[in-house]
Amino acid sequence: MEPVQAARVFSNRYELTHLIARGGMAQVYRARDRLLDRPVALKVLFPELSVDRAFVERFRREAQAAANLSHPNIVPVFDWGEDDGTYFIVMEFIDGRPLSALLRSTGPLAPARAAGVGAKVADALSYAHRHGVVHRDVKPGNVLMTEDGQVKVTDFGIARAINTEESLTQTGAVMGTAAYFSPEQAEGFGVDARSDIYSLGVVLYEMVAGRTPFVGDSPVAVASKHVREPAPPITDFNPQVPPALEAVIAKAMAKSPDLRYSTAEELRADLLRFAEGRPVLAADPAETAALAAAGTTRLVGTTGNLANATRSVPVTDGAAAVVVPEDEARRRRTRRTVAALVVLLVAVVVVAVLLLRSLGYLGGGTFSLPNVVGQPQNSAAAKLQAKGLVIGSTSTRASNRASGNVVATDPVAGTGVKKGQRINLVVSSGPVQEVVPEVTGQDLAAAEVILSQAHLGYRVDQFVPSPKTANTVLTQNLAKGSKAPRGTVVHLTVAAAQSSVAVPNVVGLGPAAAGGKISSAQLAVGNTSSACSTTGVANGLVSATSPGSGAQEAPGTTVNLVVSSGPCATVPNVVSQTQQQASAAVTAAQLQPAVTTTTNCTSQQNGTVLTQNPGAGAGGIPTGATVTLTVCNASSSSTTTTTTSPSTSSTTTPPTAPSP
């Protein structure tokens, strides 16, 4: 970790200490939670992206999606917010390192250890999938390993609730990391939980082979291989990998989602079977065809010592186990090659059939199912019926969509369908409603836990003076026992932790940012007035506060803001100057001259400034203000002409009077 040179504190609570990592849209820091005195991880969106509302919305939904997941193998999210235009997420700090770093330093893992790590990741994904979240970016860099053997999945940065309308993996949009793409991700198709299973299969492959199955000159080349090429046998890179584990990984990495494990829980169970030395359910893909021809069904075991000449593999055919000699390895390699060619041939045939169907030569009338997700049920049904489709069953499930809107179809949008085919709809019953718990009277740390367990968020609106113990929750805006949509933020007022607080320095900030900083300091924002700035603060920015910055005040004290109307001007001394000279000097000081005349003066003073208002050196005068000049127009035999325009003036000076 890299120490932070200039520490910043977010929301007057989270103090950055070290830079941990830099990702595609954010940086991750180690920080100290001042309120709870504990280390946390702070994920901070890049400043240049904070102005992009699409990125900010994605960042917000990342926090909401992850905050609803509570599992031993998932990094929990504690809080999220915005500070002076910068958005951040607060997560548990995991004192460990990414699986990617472990693989770089140690090389391939022992098969049993790899299976154990994979089982824990699969357990985390299974939990997330049951709660409607697909990770979409499973890779070693997002799996954290601790010294005591904990495995934590992190960074649901491009995860989306399966029923979210703005899914980032709609047709044509590709998210993730190319080396771990599922084929459907690589092609920009919609994905589901089985895409995470494929990516975890790639991670398992890398853990035991020491490299990913597909490499290329560019991400596009790698993604193309995921779609079109079979993965090289793991034993090409590590001959010590048992066939049973190779079979599990091959099933997880099947090109077709339908041929993979149907759930992450099924993958986890098979990995545990392998780790415990029990037969796995996955068949060896390279030998299935040969064994089927012999009338047997293969159940791959883990017995035997690869260092010996032979190893035993139980084969269920109604008789005893068959012993496979080691000299069969070459024939096995040949069978794998043949099997790969068969798979390639089948893929070519499938592509040809799909092409012919799209051209209308096969399966006449086939067309893509329209996307009606997000539409009201009646409108969606009418749209599908207009295409000649039949509405099948209709079910409901909780969703953040409006009640009565479609959240999913079976089959999914984009699937090839024919007229007369039945389409099943899943309709929103509205958001999941949670019962609001009572947290008044609780310590803020305890209130955070209670609200988190109720799947609700919280925000402290203000800290106020109180006889209660510091950090005790005084009020909450939602009553105990009321119901609110999952993820709703409960607003709290909390007893101030200090008898006095310092007024922060907000000079030079905009009024909104200054108000936020004052509120974060447990103070209240009062009135806003306007005045010129004697220190040169630009127009529209805060130039002063009352009380002033640094003053120690009781929590909740009102702080008034003075907003600059522009720099103040310095009034020059123009008394005794001619009207023309004085007007020029006033204009040069960014003030406006106005001239009046008087005859109450001597002929020697004629045409000169007698007085000025404001006086020389007057303070607090905004630029553009008027300075009134009183000019002598003495009566004499000679003629004096004076122009009192604010901007121009001329004077004809009379002849000098003869000496008496």
Side-chain angles (χ1 to χ4, degrees):
M1 291 185 291
E2 177 185 337
V4 175
Q5 299 301 318
R8 177 178 176 181
V9 180
F10 284 80
S11 295
N12 200 38
R13 176 174 177 179
Y14 304 109
E15 179 183 1
L16 305 186
T17 60
H18 296 80
L19 175 64
I20 298 175
R22 181 184 178 94
M25 66 185 223
Q27 288 179 304
V28 181
Y29 294 88
R30 176 171 177 165
R32 183 174 71 88
D33 183 343
R34 290 178 167 180
L35 181 61
L36 302 179
D37 192 24
R38 65 179 179 183
V40 293
L42 212 69
K43 187 172 185 180
V44 181
L45 186 65
F46 290 146
E48 61 267 26
L49 299 180
S50 294
V51 298
D52 186 326
R53 301 312 304 172
F55 272 97
V56 170
E57 180 65 10
R58 183 186 306 171
F59 202 68
R60 179 187 68 80
R61 281 190 288 199
E62 173 187 344
Q64 290 183 336
N68 289 330
L69 302 178
S70 178
H71 187 274
N73 298 117
I74 295 178
V75 177
V77 169
F78 296 146
D79 190 13
W80 79 281
E82 177 266 340
D83 185 285
D84 198 17
T86 300
Y87 293 82
F88 63 91
I89 291 175
V90 185
M91 301 172 287
E92 179 186 14
F93 175 74
I94 306 299
D95 190 7
R97 57 175 175 166
L99 174 60
S100 54
L102 177 65
L103 294 177
R104 283 195 301 269
S105 62
T106 66
L109 304 184
R113 186 183 183 193
V117 172
K120 292 177 181 179
V121 176
D123 197 15
L125 294 176
S126 176
Y127 176 87
H129 296 164
R130 292 196 304 273
H131 286 76
V133 175
V134 179
H135 192 288
R136 288 178 168 85
D137 196 20
V138 178
K139 59 184 179 182
N142 285 337
V143 178
L144 301 181
M145 312 282 290
T146 66
E147 292 295 333
D148 58 358
Q150 293 186 64
V151 176
K152 298 270 191 176
V153 181
T154 187
D155 196 3
F156 282 75
I158 49 180
R160 286 296 176 271
I162 292 173
N163 59 5
T164 299
E165 180 176 2
E166 299 85 353
S167 171
L168 289 178
T169 49
Q170 294 171 349
T171 300
V174 176
M175 299 298 297
T177 306
Y180 307 92
F181 269 166
S182 65
E184 56 270 25
Q185 270 182 298
E187 293 188 291
F189 295 148
V191 303
D192 57 23
R194 294 170 297 178
S195 183
D196 282 351
I197 292 172
Y198 181 96
S199 296
L200 178 52
V202 178
V203 173
L204 285 162
Y205 187 111
E206 183 178 4
M207 279 196 282
V208 294
R211 51 155 282 174
T212 55
F214 302 112
V215 295
D217 296 332
S218 68
V220 174
V222 175
S224 177
K225 290 183 179 182
H226 279 289
V227 177
R228 295 175 175 82
E229 297 183 12
I234 295 175
T235 49
D236 284 1
F237 310 110
N238 185 357
Q240 303 302 313
V241 177
L245 182 56
E246 189 175 19
V248 171
I249 296 172
K251 182 174 177 66
M253 289 181 58
K255 300 293 185 188
S256 169
D258 293 335
L259 297 180
R260 298 172 202 155
Y261 293 96
S262 59
T263 65
E265 178 57 33
E266 288 185 7
L267 172 56
R268 172 180 175 270
D270 234 5
L271 287 169
L272 292 178
R273 289 187 190 96
F274 168 79
E276 295 165 1
R278 295 184 289 130
V280 299
L281 299 184
D284 187 330
E287 297 182 9
T288 299
L291 291 170
T296 60
T297 301
R298 171 99 180 216
L299 187 64
V300 182
T302 58
T303 60
N305 186 337
L306 288 174
N308 297 332
T310 63
R311 55 184 172 185
S312 62
V313 182
V315 180
T316 304
D317 60 358
V322 177
V323 176
V324 181
E326 194 63 28
D327 61 8
E328 199 174 280
R330 287 190 300 274
R331 290 194 296 274
R332 181 174 297 167
R333 181 67 60 79
T334 301
R335 287 196 295 269
R336 287 176 176 156
T337 302
V338 171
L341 291 174
V342 170
V343 170
L344 182 59
L345 178 59
V346 171
V348 171
V349 172
V350 170
V351 171
V353 170
L354 293 175
L355 178 61
L356 290 173
R357 282 183 176 174
S358 67
L359 295 175
Y361 293 107
L362 293 175
T366 300
F367 57 92
S368 295
L369 178 66
N371 184 7
V372 295
V373 171
Q375 299 180 16
Q377 180 182 350
N378 291 340
S379 300
K383 184 174 182 179
L384 296 176
Q385 289 168 339
K387 293 285 188 178
L389 300 169
V390 176
I391 304 302
S393 65
T394 300
S395 59
T396 60
R397 76 173 182 217
S399 164
N400 288 331
R401 295 186 186 281
S403 179
N405 283 7
V406 175
V407 295
T409 59
D410 180 22
V412 298
T415 302
V417 294
K418 296 181 179 180
K419 288 186 177 181
Q421 186 169 334
R422 297 173 67 85
I423 309 299
N424 302 320
L425 302 179
V426 181
V427 178
S428 172
S429 59
V432 175
Q433 297 291 316
E434 302 290 352
V435 177
V436 178
E438 175 71 73
V439 294
T440 56
Q442 297 281 350
D443 179 78
L444 182 58
E448 177 182 10
V449 173
I450 294 170
L451 292 170
S452 176
Q453 291 174 342
H455 302 291
L456 298 171
Y458 82 94
R459 177 158 297 183
V460 178
D461 283 346
Q462 58 181 330
F463 290 85
V464 298
S466 170
K468 298 280 188 180
T469 304
N471 294 325
T472 299
V473 177
L474 302 177
T475 65
Q476 62 187 81
N477 70 321
L478 299 180
K480 172 188 175 182
S482 61
K483 291 189 175 182
R486 175 171 291 184
T488 296
V489 174
V490 180
H491 294 257
L492 310 175
T493 58
V494 178
Q498 300 168 275
S499 59
S500 66
V501 294
V503 177
N505 184 4
V506 296
V507 172
L509 298 180
K517 194 169 182 179
I518 289 170
S519 297
S520 296
Q522 306 177 31
L523 299 167
V525 180
N527 298 326
T528 299
S529 59
S530 178
C532 67
S533 171
T534 58
T535 57
V537 176
N539 181 40
L541 302 181
V542 174
S543 58
T545 60
S546 177
S549 62
Q552 293 291 324
E553 302 292 340
T557 298
T558 297
V559 178
N560 299 316
L561 304 179
V562 179
V563 177
S564 171
S565 60
C568 291
T570 300
V571 181
N573 184 1
V574 295
V575 172
S576 298
Q577 294 183 11
T578 67
Q579 177 183 338
Q580 186 174 9
Q581 292 170 333
S583 295
V586 169
T587 301
Q590 301 185 49
L591 298 168
Q592 187 73 22
V595 177
T596 63
T597 60
T598 180
T599 59
N600 187 21
C601 53
T602 66
S603 59
Q604 285 83 358
Q605 297 173 313
N606 201 45
T608 63
V609 176
L610 301 177
T611 63
Q612 65 180 74
N613 185 30
I621 307 300
T623 56
T626 298
V627 177
T628 302
L629 308 177
T630 303
V631 178
C632 174
N633 186 15
S635 299
S636 67
S637 58
S638 59
T639 303
T640 301
T641 304
T642 302
T643 303
T644 60
S645 167
S647 56
T648 60
S649 62
S650 61
T651 302
T652 302
T653 304
T656 303
S659 299

